Amino acid sequence: MRLIVAEKPSLARAIAEALPTPATRREGYLEAGDTWISWCLGHLLEQAPPERYDPRYKQWRLDDLPIVPQRWELMPRSQARGQIAVLRKLLKQASSVIHAGDPDREGQLLVQEALEYLGWRGRVERLLVQDLNRPAVARALGNLEDNERYRALYEAAQARARADWLYGINLTRAWTLIGRQAGYDGLLSVGRVQTPVLGLVVRRDREIAAFEPKPFYVVWADLEVAEGRLRAWWLPDESQPLDEQGRLLDPRPAQKLVQQLPGASGHLSELEQKRKRQAAPLPYSLSALQVDAARRHGLSAKRVLDVCQSLYERHQLITYPRSDCRYLPRAHHREAARTLPSACRGDSTLSAWIDAADFNLRSKAWDDAKVGAHHALAPTGRTADMNKLSQDEANLFRLIARNVIAQFYPALETFETQATFVILEERFQAKGREILEPGWKPLFTTRDEAPPLPPLTRGEPAKVLDATCEEKETRPPEPFNDASLIKAMMNIARYVEDPEVRRTLRDTDGLGTEATRAGILETLLTRGYLVRDKKALRATRTGHALIDSLPAAATRPERTALWEQRLSAMADNQDAPAPFLTALVADLQGLLGEASASRMNDALRAARQREAPEAPASPKRGTKRRTSSRSTASPRRRKSGESASSTSSSNRRRKPKRSS
């Protein structure tokens, strides 16, 4: 018998439906002719806790750190024992095995680690399914590959899991212990992604708290030109008192100029006019969708991920959602004239957009060279019954479909003008934009554009009809919200101070992955390090104290972003796990050497004096704390995230759920 091991039951069902023989349901698997299709339940296995390596690690002691296993062990997750037994029985009878994990680093790991744990030594083929529609699954079944081709991807995922365990276990234990010495009786978890994200929010909150608004002044003048009127703004030169953004800080020059302007004459000294073409926004990656959905529909990043999983697994309306790619395969372009109308005919808005689409157009979104393990989110072609979707499901499906439909619309064409006038020896500037071809733009907004400038000719005269000096005030940076924090994680190079590292990180995937970013935000909220203040995300006093007590390097994004870079290199067979883990242990020893109870005490004292929200109450000493090794990011699967359980089962009082 041939055994196919899928990542989850929904994928197993989709595979069974694509086979020529109807499937029969068995206990823990499906049987279709000479094929068994079974499944994992996300990760069936987890990293063994420290006490599995040595019983003395049941008690947390600084002297035992760092804990570094010499031979790594996995153990079954408690809720997965039954399914492990099913797979063990099937593997003993199987003649061949097909790995059908999701087409990414973590999907490669969770099936392959189960096969190796259960002792399978035969050849394994790899099935890569991008969407769950029967034709797509059938095509994938006809294009099996040798799983050995993906050995490097597996080793990269395995290195990630071990590195997260090392980092989370050791630093969480260390900082929880020094927290106790300083009088804080709660868990202080540290993670290679979670903590830098918290650091971003803490630093933003402090910028806002320290911000002192300052007035600045702008002058505009209404001008009469040969063929109409326009408004132009004064461009003060460097002889004026300006801030670093070129804003005028002293009202007196502005007030003096305004008194002289009415009736004054000048001329158009510089005229720049350009015709521009702008292609449609690319189809969505998960993070790009999370940013847009937060702005348009007020959805949290976690909610977007959950809804996308429902659209993918339950409704089978979209392709694999945990994608970091914004491009589509060329083969999808050939099928789009059939799949998109079929997918969208259940919605009047989408149908109207489809009717105006030109399927002969090919945008830059169709690029095989830029498609890796995943492609961008797209409709599968199954018709969406909008009456059976929740409001959130319908809203996200429309967004995903819209961005793909937009690829079959012409480019947005505009005529942009920048005019500079000289009046009373001072420069004034006006800008205008005229839409020549709306193209894809109406699919994204119905807002009216600002009126274009009247026709202009270089050197023509201009007369001031009116002028005003307006007092404005500098504004603090906006607090982070779900959209802006996800965007910051995607574009983490902007928050890196070292110019060399910043250049390196511009081409990486940022902080965290598509699959983990939503879970990281929810973990910080659950652990009381962040709170939601309306739509804003703010750090609590506990969050501030934790960041202040840690070495600065542990709170900034450089380390974890460079981790992801090395993991990507491993997945591409350009790096090896052993040197990476050896360097990490050396790094950990340096960080642990900076654990200081006195520094923690100072941080806690400072936090109590801050204008920051309180964290949820911590358990009192002597009380028991029920915990689970399951991820707070996903109740069913920990996907390419950080380490799971970081403590022993006997240390119930302050045992963390995960060190991430």
Side-chain angles (χ1 to χ4, degrees):
M1 293 287 283
R2 177 177 68 164
L3 173 62
I4 300 176
V5 183
E7 180 164 327
K8 56 178 79 71
S10 59
L11 177 57
R13 290 192 296 270
I15 293 170
E17 290 173 2
L19 294 172
T21 305
T24 302
R25 177 79 188 218
R26 307 295 187 193
E27 185 64 35
Y29 67 100
L30 301 167
E31 184 173 346
D34 64 350
T35 302
W36 291 323
I37 311 100
S38 191
W39 52 82
C40 299
L41 302 167
H43 279 284
L44 298 178
L45 306 168
E46 61 187 355
Q47 295 292 331
E51 64 270 18
R52 183 75 171 261
Y53 299 102
D54 193 322
R56 78 174 188 270
Y57 294 148
K58 288 182 179 180
Q59 184 175 354
W60 291 21
R61 288 185 293 260
L62 285 170
D63 290 344
D64 289 334
L65 305 179
I67 300 169
V68 182
Q70 297 305 304
R71 184 176 179 275
W72 289 89
E73 294 184 28
L74 295 171
M75 57 186 290
R77 293 166 63 83
S78 59
Q79 68 270 37
R81 294 183 186 279
Q83 193 61 23
I84 288 175
V86 170
L87 288 173
R88 180 179 282 112
K89 180 186 73 172
L90 296 176
L91 283 168
K92 287 180 179 178
Q93 304 172 60
S95 58
S96 63
V97 171
I98 295 175
H99 178 317
D102 280 350
D104 62 4
R105 196 170 70 197
E106 207 68 13
Q108 186 67 31
L109 173 68
L110 66 85
V111 173
Q112 191 161 338
E113 70 182 2
L115 295 176
E116 295 190 1
Y117 178 82
L118 293 171
W120 177 258
R121 296 292 179 263
R123 183 171 180 266
V124 179
E125 292 182 289
R126 186 66 163 96
L127 172 64
L128 297 167
V129 177
Q130 290 280 9
D131 68 62
L132 300 184
N133 264 2
R134 182 171 181 169
V137 178
R139 283 195 302 272
L141 283 164
N143 291 283
L144 298 177
E145 300 182 61
D146 186 347
N147 187 58
E148 194 60 27
R149 288 188 59 190
Y150 298 90
R151 166 65 57 176
L153 194 67
Y154 166 66
E155 291 178 349
Q158 186 181 67
R160 189 278 311 156
R162 292 173 176 179
D164 279 332
W165 190 97
L166 288 168
Y167 197 86
I169 290 288
N170 286 292
L171 295 186
T172 294
R173 286 194 172 202
W175 259 260
T176 298
L177 289 169
I178 66 168
R180 291 180 195 171
Q181 294 174 13
Y184 180 80
D185 193 18
L187 174 74
L188 289 172
S189 81
V190 182
R192 56 105 182 180
V193 177
Q194 160 195 318
T195 304
V197 172
L198 176 60
L200 288 177
V201 181
V202 166
R203 285 186 283 276
R204 174 62 60 84
D205 285 354
R206 290 180 182 174
E207 286 179 46
I208 295 170
F211 183 81
E212 295 183 3
K214 296 179 180 178
F216 67 96
Y217 304 89
V218 297
V219 171
W220 54 260
D222 285 339
L223 306 181
E224 183 177 53
V225 292
E227 297 193 43
R229 296 182 178 185
L230 56 84
R231 178 166 291 182
W233 277 260
W234 179 38
L235 302 176
D237 60 33
E238 295 181 357
S239 66
Q240 305 292 349
L242 308 177
D243 65 9
E244 65 279 359
Q245 296 184 35
R247 295 175 296 203
L248 183 67
L249 301 178
D250 187 343
R252 290 172 294 182
Q255 292 166 351
K256 181 179 179 181
L257 178 61
V258 165
Q259 291 175 357
Q260 299 171 340
L261 279 171
S265 296
H267 68 280
L268 176 54
S269 63
E270 300 172 30
L271 182 63
E272 295 182 21
Q273 294 179 312
K274 294 180 181 178
R275 185 167 182 148
K276 291 188 176 181
R277 289 172 53 88
Q278 183 180 347
L282 291 168
Y284 285 115
S285 65
L286 175 60
S287 289
L289 178 63
Q290 286 168 325
V291 170
D292 264 12
R295 289 173 175 168
R296 291 176 176 272
H297 301 299
L299 299 181
S300 72
K302 179 65 164 55
R303 178 61 180 160
V304 174
L305 177 56
D306 290 344
V307 171
C308 283
Q309 284 296 128
S310 176
L311 290 171
Y312 171 64
E313 294 180 4
R314 179 184 173 195
H315 301 290
Q316 297 182 20
L317 293 176
I318 66 170
T319 57
Y320 181 73
R322 296 170 183 256
S323 174
D324 60 356
C325 179
R326 299 197 69 176
Y327 293 86
L328 293 165
R330 287 179 177 269
H332 281 217
H333 183 271
R334 293 191 295 269
E335 300 170 356
R338 173 183 57 83
T339 58
L340 278 178
S342 173
C344 299
R345 65 171 175 253
D347 182 79
S348 59
T349 299
L350 294 177
S351 294
W353 291 344
I354 288 287
D355 290 343
D358 180 355
F359 288 99
N360 293 314
L361 296 176
R362 185 194 295 274
S363 76
K364 64 180 181 180
W366 316 95
D367 190 340
D368 289 343
K370 294 184 178 178
V371 175
H374 311 297
H375 57 67
L377 279 67
T380 60
R382 182 181 290 246
T383 302
D385 185 344
M386 307 306 270
N387 293 324
K388 292 183 179 179
L389 301 183
S390 69
Q391 182 176 349
D392 289 346
E393 288 172 336
N395 285 338
L396 291 193
F397 179 75
R398 288 189 186 99
L399 288 179
I400 292 165
R402 179 203 64 184
N403 273 41
V404 178
I405 295 170
Q407 307 311 311
F408 298 99
Y409 274 68
L412 167 66
E413 294 188 31
T414 58
F415 188 71
E416 301 188 11
T417 300
Q418 178 174 295
T420 304
F421 297 85
V422 175
I423 303 167
L424 300 179
E425 300 184 350
E426 297 289 345
R427 297 169 71 242
F428 291 78
Q429 191 173 85
K431 294 181 180 181
R433 185 170 183 256
E434 179 183 1
I435 293 181
L436 303 177
E437 165 57 65
W440 53 265
K441 190 71 171 178
L443 278 63
F444 288 76
T445 180
T446 57
R447 291 179 299 179
D448 293 333
E449 295 285 335
L453 298 179
L456 296 170
T457 305
R458 187 190 302 270
E460 70 175 272
K463 181 179 180 181
V464 179
L465 301 175
D466 191 17
T468 297
C469 171
E470 290 185 4
E471 179 179 331
K472 297 191 174 185
E473 198 172 65
T474 57
R475 300 176 62 183
E478 292 290 328
F480 279 117
N481 54 33
D482 280 67
S484 59
L485 192 51
I486 290 285
K487 192 169 183 179
M489 295 166 75
M490 292 167 63
N491 301 286
I492 198 61
R494 298 177 184 176
Y495 300 87
V496 171
E497 294 179 352
D498 187 310
E500 291 296 325
V501 176
R502 190 186 306 121
R503 277 193 290 272
T504 301
L505 296 182
R506 284 193 184 121
D507 296 328
T508 67
D509 292 333
L511 197 58
T513 67
E514 303 294 320
T516 61
R517 286 173 185 142
I520 288 162
L521 300 193
E522 293 303 315
T523 296
L524 290 168
L525 290 160
T526 300
R527 292 179 177 167
Y529 303 151
L530 295 182
V531 293
R532 277 200 173 92
D533 182 6
K534 298 180 180 177
K535 292 185 178 181
L537 293 169
R538 297 185 60 208
T540 63
R541 293 180 183 178
T542 304
H544 280 271
L546 178 57
I547 293 301
D548 283 344
S549 66
L550 283 161
T555 73
R556 302 199 65 87
E558 287 86 343
R559 173 185 283 103
T560 189
L562 290 171
W563 269 34
E564 285 297 331
Q565 189 179 50
R566 289 198 68 176
L567 291 169
S568 295
M570 284 180 223
D572 292 336
N573 225 4
Q574 297 173 358
D575 202 347
F580 168 68
L581 293 173
T582 299
L584 170 60
V585 172
D587 192 18
L588 274 174
Q589 290 170 333
L591 292 171
L592 291 169
E594 296 189 51
S596 165
S598 62
R599 182 173 176 176
M600 173 66 75
N601 191 56
D602 292 342
L604 290 167
R605 186 184 304 111
R608 286 191 289 269
Q609 298 171 356
R610 290 188 187 281
E611 291 186 8
E614 290 275 11
S618 300
K620 295 181 180 179
R621 286 190 183 274
T623 62
K624 290 190 175 182
R625 179 192 189 112
R626 291 189 62 191
T627 61
S628 164
S629 64
R630 298 176 76 182
S631 163
T632 56
S634 170
R636 298 185 308 148
R637 174 180 177 194
R638 185 180 309 106
K639 182 84 168 172
S640 184
E642 306 170 38
S643 73
S645 175
S646 56
T647 62
S648 80
S649 58
S650 64
N651 193 355
R652 293 290 187 189
R653 186 170 58 178
R654 297 177 187 85
K655 168 182 159 184
K657 287 185 178 179
R658 280 173 81 199
S659 297
S660 52

